[in-house]
Amino acid sequence: MSKSNTLHGDIAEVLISEEAISRRVTELGCEITKDYKGERILAVGVLKGAAIFLADLVRAIDLPVDYDFVWLSSYGSGTESTGVVEWKKDIESDVRGRHILVVEDIVDTGWTLRLSRLSENLLDRGAASVKVCTLLDKPSRRRVEVRVDYRGFEIEDKFVVGYGLDLCGYYRNLPYVGVLKAEVEAALSRQP
Ligand code: IMP
Ligand code: MG
C-alpha cells in the first residue's frame, strides 16, 4: 500500500463509478426479472469476487431468489491466470429442476468457467437451466469461448480492483472499479 495508507490513495483512475455501477445493476435486475417472469432463481455466486455484485444484484431482481456460492480459484495472488482452477467449495443446494444464474465478477481469459465446467456440472446435476451474469467482461483477453448471458460492462485490457475484485486479497471493499497506481500494483505483485 502507498504512503497515503488509504485504499483511495492507491487508485490511479476510477474506471466505473459507484453511481454507474448502481444504475447498471438496476438495469440488469430489470432485464433478469423480465426474462425469468413467473420463475424462481437460484443465484450461484463465484467466490470471492462476485460476493459484492451478487448482494446488490439479487436486491434488484423482483422475483423469488435464493442464493448459494461456489469458490473457484484460478489466480495465484498476482495478476496473471495460472491456467489451473481449484474448486475450493461447492454449493450446498439441490439444483434439480432449478433455474440457475451464475454470478461472476469478471470474465477475463474464460479459463475459470471453462476449466471448472461450472455450467455443465450444474446441468449434469439436473438444473433446469444455467445462465451466466458477469459484472465485467474483458473480451480482448479471452482465450477460450464461454457463454455470457448478461454483462454489466465491457472493459479494456486493464487489471482492475474494487467492488469485489482484488489484488492479493485487497481492494475488494472499494465501492467503485478502478485501476491501481503502477507502483502499488508492482509492489503488491512482487510479494510472495
Ligand atoms: P478468467 O478465468 O481469466 O476468466 O478470470 C476470472 C477470474 O480472474 C475472476 O473471477 C477474477 O477473480 C480474476 N480476474 C481477472 N481479471 C481480473 C482483474 O482485472 N482484476 C481482478 N481480478 C481479475
Ligand atoms: Mg480474484
Side-chain angles (χ1 to χ4, degrees):
M1 224 165 279
S2 70
K3 287 196 189 86
S4 65
N5 268 326
T6 70
L7 290 189
H8 296 304
D10 288 354
I11 297 298
E13 181 197 353
V14 175
L15 211 61
I16 311 171
S17 70
E18 200 174 344
E19 295 72 26
I21 294 172
S22 166
R23 276 196 303 273
R24 187 70 188 116
V25 169
T26 302
E27 284 173 7
L28 286 171
C30 288
E31 207 181 317
I32 291 164
T33 302
K34 228 187 308 153
D35 292 353
Y36 285 86
K37 198 160 183 246
E39 307 286 358
R40 291 160 191 271
I41 297 171
L42 174 62
V44 173
V46 180
L47 290 173
K48 297 179 185 176
I52 288 178
F53 175 42
L54 182 138
D56 285 341
L57 182 68
V58 295
R59 285 178 288 177
I61 299 174
D62 189 16
L63 293 171
V65 179
D66 186 4
Y67 60 83
D68 204 332
F69 294 96
V70 285
W71 186 2
L72 304 176
S73 191
S74 63
Y75 274 27
S77 50
T79 60
E80 283 301 315
S81 175
T82 56
V84 177
V85 173
E86 193 185 341
W87 195 300
K88 289 189 168 177
K89 180 206 171 299
D90 198 358
I91 50 171
E92 314 291 328
S93 317
D94 184 352
V95 300
R96 276 176 294 177
R98 302 180 79 176
H99 295 286
I100 314 276
L101 185 63
V102 170
V103 181
E104 258 283 28
D105 54 354
I106 186 166
V107 180
D108 184 35
T109 62
W111 281 122
T112 302
L113 289 179
R114 171 57 69 87
L115 290 177
S116 66
R117 296 185 74 257
L118 178 58
S119 299
E120 296 83 350
N121 185 290
L122 294 167
L123 286 169
D124 288 349
R125 286 194 246 173
S129 71
V130 180
K131 282 188 179 183
V132 175
C133 176
T134 186
L135 175 73
L136 304 177
D137 189 2
K138 271 192 215 169
S140 64
R141 293 256 307 166
R142 200 74 92 249
R143 301 280 302 281
V144 284
E145 209 181 307
V146 288
R147 211 191 69 220
V148 173
D149 300 282
Y150 304 96
R151 74 167 55 71
F153 302 90
E154 200 174 294
I155 62 166
E156 51 189 304
D157 181 8
K158 284 182 177 172
F159 190 82
V160 294
V161 294
Y163 200 71
L165 292 121
D166 74 301
L167 178 59
C168 302
Y170 292 103
Y171 303 100
R172 294 189 198 277
N173 57 320
L174 276 173
Y176 51 77
V177 171
V179 179
L180 285 168
K181 288 177 179 166
E183 67 271 23
V184 175
E185 183 177 319
L188 267 173
S189 302
R190 265 200 309 273
Q191 282 178 12

